Amino acid sequence: MAGLAITLGSGAMTNSVAEVVDADVIFLIGSNPTEAHPVMGAQIRQARQRGAKLIVADPRVIDLAKEAVVHLQLKPGTNIALLNGMMHTIITEGLMDKDYVENRTEGFDELWDVVKEYTPEKAAEICGIDPEDLKAAARLYASGKRAPIYYCLGVTEHSSGTAGVMSISNLALLCGNVGKYAAGVNPLRGQNNVQGACDMGAIPAMYSGYQKVSDPDIREKFSKAWGVELSAKPGLTSIEAMNGAAAGDVRAIYIMGENPMLSDPNMAHVEKSLKNLDFLVVQDIFLTETAELADVVLPATCFAEKEGTFTNTERRVQRVRKAVQGPGESREDWAILAEVMRRLGFDPGFSSSKEIMDEIARLTPSFGGISHERLDKEQVQWPCPSADHPGTPILHLGKFSRGERALFRPSPHIPSGELPDDEYPMLLSTGRLLYHYNTPTMTGKNEELMEIEGRSFIEINPSDAAKYGLEQGGRVKVASRRGEIETEARITQRVPEGVLYMPFHFADGAANILTSDAVDSISMTPEYKVCAVKVKKASYEDARVS
Amino acid sequence: MLNVTIDGQLLQVKEGTTILEACELVGAEIPTLCHLKHLAPEGSCRMCVVEVKGARDLKVSCATVCDEGMEVVTMNEKIHAWRRFIIEMLLADHHIDCFSCSDTGQCKLYQYALDYGIKEPRFQVEPRDWEKDETNRFFDYDPHKCILCRRCVRTCNDRQVNHTLNLTGRGIDTKVGMPFDELFIDSNCVSCGNCVSVCPTGALATKSSKDYRSWEVTKTRTTCSYCAVGCQMDLVVKKGKVVGVEPADGHSNKGLLCVKGKFAYKFIGHPDRLTTPLVRKDGVLQPVSWDEALDVVADNLQRIKAESGPDAIAGFSSSRTTNEDNYAFMKMMRGAIGTNSVDNCARV
Ligand code: SF4
Ligand code: SF4
Ligand code: SF4
Ligand code: FES
């Protein structure tokens, strides 16, 4: 997200979901939409059925890889090398959009300075793929008239995630694919309202609408509206706050609707940090693993029990409506927060969800034309600065959010924070399943879903399985430098040799006991996608003990 | 633009507009069975027939485009008789089970039988020895209620693009099925439920639909809370409980849902939900009143702020709750507590 803000001027998905059916070449990198964004996945398949050609870059043979013209089965953590290699081919074979690069971008020389090192042969070697496949992918992408790129956590959840995103942006700009219909650079957001949480200023450095805390005028505006002096001191990200808690500098944490015990990398560290706190408040709908550690637990309502809005991955603000009453004494999140604010001697300034949206619109230029009343009639995409503005389905049309020109920001290949070695010889990568959603706080309450996929497992290539004497469905121990878990072996060609894949949804055999706390230096995204592990067959004795 | 006349009413339509679409523009109701928005017109059920002046036969309105000067009549004796005949043919081969069928109240066949004055089936076909397929965890297929409109088949193949369903068998033995007479459980079906949502009868029906009748429920339009596609959906509510989910025609989903949006709603009223505030006393979380819990929160935040400054407090907001909740959270952290240490798990 930080990456696109730098190169284009806005971190959000440039185009709309449904445009994909009109694409002619689709490039998926580090995203598995048929499992993580199924209705997007269905529309990608509709496009393919109508003749669009698919390029998939993913270490695993994901379902869409089987339908791809080219599947680049690259090693986890080598996206940048791949993208640089593709750009090398596009530039040297004269396939770039020269007019676009000349008139709408800057930094091409700097790009070439970095990219020229990445001949297809060299890039392919880093990625562990055939250089001919890399070239074929580059040519195919460059040939697309409407060629969107979709990416997800497989790009961002690396310690080089921001550089990876900027490399995707470089590729799209090189072919003139930003600022037009059915094209663009499209991050598929993980959680339903990640886009909205960021838009609303639930990030340390920005108020709502990406207005900078460091800008004195902006601070002044919010300060006036809220009737209180506001701090200019940079805040901590959630990872920094966890570290602060472990060190004792952060003494209290208020958590609303998250379960970092299961969702953060390095679970042992999270537990230690949270236990070290003087005071922990958790506001949630279930007594999660995190809530169990809290000093105070506040019962909230879920989406079916409240009024409000979510913003989807394409920046569309859509209504959430109350269908049923929340259980027991549960209350809406904002209403609980308003009570806390009052008790802290601060006037929240609103008494309904609708009034909050009106305040957001007043203080946030990109939401200026958005209100619950309007959303009841039409669901608009921000930026939507005024009531008569139709919203913005496609960003950067004619002009970039950044200004006249977009920026090429190249990066060399950055090896992952933790790579296999003699002691931990395998690469572990994590991800989502179709039938679950993050920590199974919600999906786990559906017995049918748990029947289909209810326990943790690890995917392993047949030749690795043979090497370690593993059987299909047998128990296997997986250890990293941070911990060890036991899970079930699923022997499959979906993963290449040397790579393991594990869904991160389950508390039994929680993948996050293993994952690394290396983080991206710009976005502070933890590196879920790659860490080094070793495996061994769980013995009969082990099975008896557990 | 073309000039057409529908039941004497003149209107202008764009080239390529079907007669059915033109009829909708003037509010003339046409019964349809196989036709569905977002699917290519198929024109197979012939329920939507209308009369076009000058044409010898009735025309299927969903699959016929308007011509300049076309004059359309949407109801007369001939049309009525023809539609009635179609329904009677469908009923001849239908397991008429309306009193216990879960689709009662929303079944199109039932509705049209009423509309066209059919009291009992005129023809009867010997029932086949087909079995119901109840192996999917979320829905069942009863071939005896299938009218072969192919909505499910086309939705699975052209919209979900999962290629699970097809028509199998020949002539009178035709039914919806999978290659080699597979059962749902053994097929590649991903349980998206989109075929079920489009079925106009009770042939494909969710297991939960047995628990309610259409007149007992209310529907609330909302946004799916699982992934960021943001599909639009209606929550089906009976007596304060969500009993089902139906897809709506949103910008990003165009009437589709996935297994999570369609079927994973049981967490909503789950008995494990938190129902009262809890405060840790003697090491154990114990139920307390809201007033007590909120005081404990405010007192401790004040105390820590007084002792160590506002930056000793951090907040994690949620990428799962609403924009309004997130805004309120960041306002509390920055405005009421005085720290910029507010983050969400977007990075995670
Ligand atoms: S549930 Fe989905 S995948 Fe399964 S048959 Fe129906 S449409 Fe096809
Ligand atoms: S199962 Fe339903 S949707 Fe499918 S063909 Fe039969 S009646 Fe039509
Ligand atoms: S229905 Fe499925 S694809 Fe649509 S928003 Fe919900 S989880 Fe995402
Ligand atoms: S609705 Fe027109 S033929 Fe079926």
Side-chain angles (χ1 to χ4, degrees):
Chain A
M1 155 125 182
L4 295 186
I6 294 167
T7 58
L8 307 177
S10 168
M13 179 156 167
T14 58
N15 291 60
S16 305
V17 167
E19 289 172 30
V20 69
V21 299
D22 292 323
D24 59 359
V25 174
I26 299 168
F27 184 16
L28 285 178
I29 174 165
S31 101
N32 185 5
T34 56
E35 299 229 20
H37 300 89
V39 168
M40 175 88 218
Q43 291 176 77
I44 291 173
R45 284 191 159 141
Q46 288 174 22
R48 199 201 51 82
Q49 194 152 287
R50 289 184 191 183
K53 297 193 168 75
L54 207 57
I55 306 166
V56 172
D58 201 292
R60 293 170 72 225
V61 189
I62 58 170
D63 286 341
L64 285 171
K66 295 173 205 149
E67 301 171 22
V69 176
V70 193
H71 175 208
L72 304 159
Q73 199 172 8
L74 75 184
K75 285 188 202 148
T78 62
N79 293 324
I80 297 174
L82 172 74
L83 293 159
N84 285 349
M86 288 175 68
M87 285 188 270
H88 189 284
T89 302
I90 288 168
I91 295 169
T92 54
E93 296 188 3
L95 306 174
M96 62 189 253
D97 185 338
K98 284 211 187 68
D99 280 349
Y100 187 94
V101 170
E102 230 160 72
N103 298 319
R104 296 201 58 192
T105 68
E106 57 188 270
F108 178 76
D109 294 342
E110 291 81 354
L111 176 76
W112 178 240
D113 262 354
V114 173
V115 163
K116 68 172 187 271
E117 307 289 328
Y118 292 84
T119 60
E121 290 68 28
K122 179 180 162 183
E125 196 191 325
I126 297 172
C127 304
I129 57 176
D130 183 340
E132 291 309 315
D133 287 345
L134 184 149
K135 284 190 251 179
R139 289 173 194 142
L140 182 54
Y141 175 72
S143 76
K145 288 191 189 61
R146 293 175 307 278
I149 307 179
Y150 299 94
Y151 67 92
C152 188
L153 304 179
V155 172
T156 52
E157 278 184 356
H158 284 290
S159 51
S160 58
T162 304
V165 171
M166 293 195 288
S167 301
I168 291 174
S169 163
N170 294 341
L171 174 64
L173 290 170
L174 192 62
C175 296
N177 269 334
V178 182
K180 70 183 204 191
Y181 178 77
V185 183
N186 301 289
L188 298 176
R189 297 289 179 202
Q191 290 90 335
N192 61 320
N193 201 32
V194 180
Q195 187 65 52
C198 296
D199 298 346
M200 289 302 106
I203 39 177
M206 320 263 191
Y207 298 107
S208 50
Y210 306 96
Q211 303 178 81
K212 290 199 177 84
V213 169
S214 60
D215 181 335
D217 293 340
I218 300 284
R219 246 183 5 255
E220 175 67 23
K221 176 172 86 173
F222 278 90
S223 185
K224 254 204 187 131
W226 295 353
V228 62
E229 271 306 302
L230 289 172
S231 166
K233 217 173 133 200
L236 304 178
T237 64
S238 54
I239 302 240
E240 290 167 335
M242 276 301 175
N243 293 338
D249 304 331
V250 171
R251 295 181 56 203
I253 296 185
Y254 195 129
I255 302 178
M256 172 174 81
E258 293 287 352
N259 187 10
M261 277 290 287
L262 267 198
S263 67
D264 270 32
N266 201 345
M267 186 162 153
H269 173 65
V270 171
E271 180 164 4
K272 190 173 141 250
S273 304
L274 293 179
K275 283 188 169 157
N276 199 36
L277 287 171
D278 193 334
F279 188 62
L280 174 64
V281 188
V282 174
Q283 182 169 314
D284 212 322
I285 61 173
F286 287 105
L287 192 67
T288 61
E289 289 78 1
T290 307
E292 279 171 16
L293 301 177
D295 298 289
V296 180
V297 178
L298 303 172
T301 53
C302 77
F303 85 111
E305 301 150 0
K306 62 165 82 169
E307 297 290 333
T309 56
F310 289 149
T311 304
N312 77 352
T313 191
E314 58 179 1
R315 298 170 279 106
R316 193 182 301 280
V317 189
Q318 308 190 107
R319 286 281 275 119
V320 170
R321 292 191 186 82
K322 180 169 175 172
V324 291
Q325 201 66 34
E329 298 175 39
S330 58
R331 293 185 183 177
E332 290 179 69
D333 283 294
W334 67 263
I336 303 173
L337 302 170
E339 272 304 319
V340 174
M341 288 190 238
R342 260 180 227 119
R343 275 161 219 253
L344 292 171
F346 178 87
D347 175 12
F350 47 73
S351 56
S352 69
S353 174
K354 177 184 156 326
E355 284 177 27
I356 299 177
M357 186 50 88
D358 293 340
E359 177 175 326
I360 296 166
R362 274 199 303 281
L363 294 173
T364 316
S366 54
F367 274 68
I370 295 179
S371 65
H372 283 194
E373 290 86 346
R374 180 164 181 193
L375 296 176
D376 286 339
K377 287 182 236 105
E378 50 173 350
Q379 298 100 39
V380 292
Q381 288 162 286
W382 67 256
C384 177
S386 61
D388 55 3
H389 189 285
T392 312
I394 303 172
L395 291 178
H396 319 298
L397 274 176
K399 185 171 180 291
F400 290 94
S401 309
R402 183 175 177 269
E404 286 304 318
R405 286 164 187 272
L407 180 67
F408 284 114
R409 183 61 95 72
S411 164
H413 166 61
I414 306 167
S416 292
E418 187 179 89
L419 285 173
D421 54 21
D422 291 345
E423 203 189 343
Y424 296 97
M426 308 277 292
L427 268 182
L428 172 73
S429 168
T430 65
R432 290 193 164 83
L433 293 175
L434 168 63
Y435 297 102
H436 288 284
Y437 175 78
N438 282 17
T439 72
T441 311
M442 285 148 61
T443 45
K445 299 291 185 288
N446 295 274
E447 63 271 16
E448 302 91 345
L449 291 177
M450 293 306 273
E451 269 170 50
I452 301 178
E453 206 80 273
R455 273 176 309 162
S456 92
F457 61 84
I458 196 159
E459 289 182 355
I460 184 165
N461 185 274
S463 72
D464 289 326
K467 193 155 90 194
Y468 294 104
L470 301 177
E471 288 151 30
Q472 188 68 277
R475 303 297 291 171
V476 51
K477 285 189 169 229
V478 189
S480 75
R481 290 189 172 78
R482 286 152 298 275
E484 183 182 75
I485 58 160
E486 198 186 296
T487 181
E488 189 179 301
R490 204 169 273 186
I491 301 170
T492 167
Q493 298 280 5
R494 277 168 82 95
V495 287
E497 274 178 53
V499 175
L500 302 166
Y501 173 84
M502 199 173 170
F504 59 55
H505 308 285
F506 304 104
D508 75 302
N512 297 342
I513 290 177
L514 303 170
T515 41
S516 154
D517 35 18
V519 292
D520 179 287
S521 56
I522 303 176
S523 71
M524 298 297 288
T525 303
E527 180 151 57
Y528 280 102
K529 281 291 163 190
V530 188
C531 79
V533 295
K534 61 182 175 190
V535 294
K536 77 169 201 244
K537 188 173 173 165
S539 68
Y540 177 60
E541 281 72 41
D542 293 331
R544 246 191 351 200
V545 178
S546 61
Chain B
M1 288 303 227
L2 303 169
N3 298 299
V4 294
T5 313
I6 294 180
D7 294 337
Q9 203 176 329
L10 189 74
L11 79 156
Q12 289 205 320
V13 297
K14 278 199 219 115
E15 227 155 300
T17 306
T18 62
I19 299 177
L20 181 66
E21 286 161 345
C23 289
E24 276 164 9
L25 289 175
V26 296
E29 266 183 51
I30 310 285
T32 58
L33 285 169
C34 68
H35 173 80
L36 196 65
K37 195 177 167 189
H38 302 305
L39 281 175
E42 164 156 297
S44 68
C45 75
R46 311 190 67 81
M47 189 65 199
C48 64
V49 289
V50 292
E51 193 170 81
V52 173
K53 283 263 168 72
R56 232 186 45 215
D57 302 323
L58 296 176
K59 293 278 177 204
V60 282
S61 64
C62 69
T64 310
V65 293
C66 296
D67 279 334
E68 174 57 37
M70 203 180 234
E71 282 179 53
V72 176
V73 174
T74 66
M75 180 56 85
N76 59 25
E77 242 171 73
K78 187 173 169 194
I79 295 169
H80 193 276
W82 175 252
R83 290 181 186 160
R84 194 184 148 106
F85 176 71
I86 291 171
I87 302 162
E88 286 178 319
M89 287 307 286
L90 289 171
L91 286 173
D93 195 15
H94 194 82
H95 176 207
I96 297 169
D97 173 34
C98 304
F99 286 117
S100 53
C101 180
S102 63
D103 216 42
T104 297
Q106 43 190 355
C107 174
K108 280 202 160 201
L109 188 60
Y110 180 92
Q111 184 60 46
Y112 294 151
L114 282 183
D115 291 353
Y116 286 80
I118 297 165
K119 301 232 164 51
E120 55 197 36
R122 185 146 59 114
F123 318 107
Q124 196 71 54
V125 175
E126 192 60 32
R128 256 53 43 68
D129 57 352
W130 287 325
E131 303 238 345
K132 288 188 197 173
D133 183 347
E134 299 181 333
T135 61
N136 184 286
R137 287 170 179 82
F138 305 100
F139 58 83
D140 301 330
Y141 174 58
D142 180 353
H144 295 103
K145 291 181 183 166
C146 177
I147 59 169
L148 297 177
C149 69
R150 289 183 73 249
R151 281 180 174 206
C152 57
V153 174
R154 289 181 292 152
T155 298
C156 186
N157 290 288
D158 299 342
R159 305 224 45 232
Q160 180 64 23
V161 201
N162 210 59
H163 298 289
T164 307
L165 299 180
N166 232 316
L167 291 191
T168 61
R170 274 165 188 277
I172 190 154
D173 289 324
T174 311
K175 67 184 189 71
V176 171
M178 283 150 273
F180 316 112
D181 268 332
E182 257 177 335
L183 296 170
F184 273 107
I185 186 112
D186 303 318
S187 74
N188 72 341
C189 169
V190 292
S191 298
C192 65
N194 287 317
C195 55
V196 182
S197 301
V198 298
C199 180
T201 70
L204 275 165
T206 62
K207 294 199 196 295
S208 71
S209 65
K210 295 193 188 78
D211 304 336
Y212 60 89
R213 292 288 170 270
S214 65
W215 56 84
E216 297 174 315
V217 298
T218 55
K219 293 181 189 174
T220 305
R221 176 68 43 88
T222 192
T223 305
C224 177
S225 71
Y226 281 108
C227 89
V229 176
C231 297
Q232 295 297 290
M233 52 166 59
D234 288 336
L235 295 179
V236 181
V237 175
K238 176 182 169 182
K239 292 191 183 135
K241 227 182 126 201
V242 176
V243 292
V245 176
E246 286 169 9
D249 192 17
H251 290 274
S252 62
N253 68 312
K254 307 253 189 288
L256 296 178
L257 290 178
C258 80
V259 61
K260 280 170 280 202
K262 175 80 181 166
F263 296 115
Y265 54 82
K266 287 195 180 159
F267 76 93
I268 296 170
H270 198 275
D272 289 352
R273 285 284 300 277
L274 287 166
T275 55
T276 124
L278 307 169
V279 168
R280 191 172 298 280
K281 292 179 182 171
D282 306 321
V284 189
L285 285 171
Q286 299 185 2
V288 297
S289 71
W290 268 108
D291 262 336
E292 184 179 341
L294 290 166
D295 280 341
V296 175
V297 172
D299 291 350
N300 278 287
L301 294 178
Q302 298 275 33
R303 173 178 60 82
I304 290 167
K305 183 173 164 181
E307 288 168 7
S308 311
D311 291 320
I313 304 170
F316 300 174
S317 194
S318 175
S319 44
R320 315 275 299 283
T321 62
T322 62
N323 289 326
E324 291 78 0
D325 293 335
N326 273 286
Y327 182 87
F329 192 88
M330 83 106 184
K331 188 172 184 179
M332 174 183 82
M333 293 309 296
R334 298 189 212 266
I337 295 175
T339 179
N340 287 312
S341 295
V342 49
D343 202 3
N344 71 87
C345 290
R347 298 176 172 78
V348 173

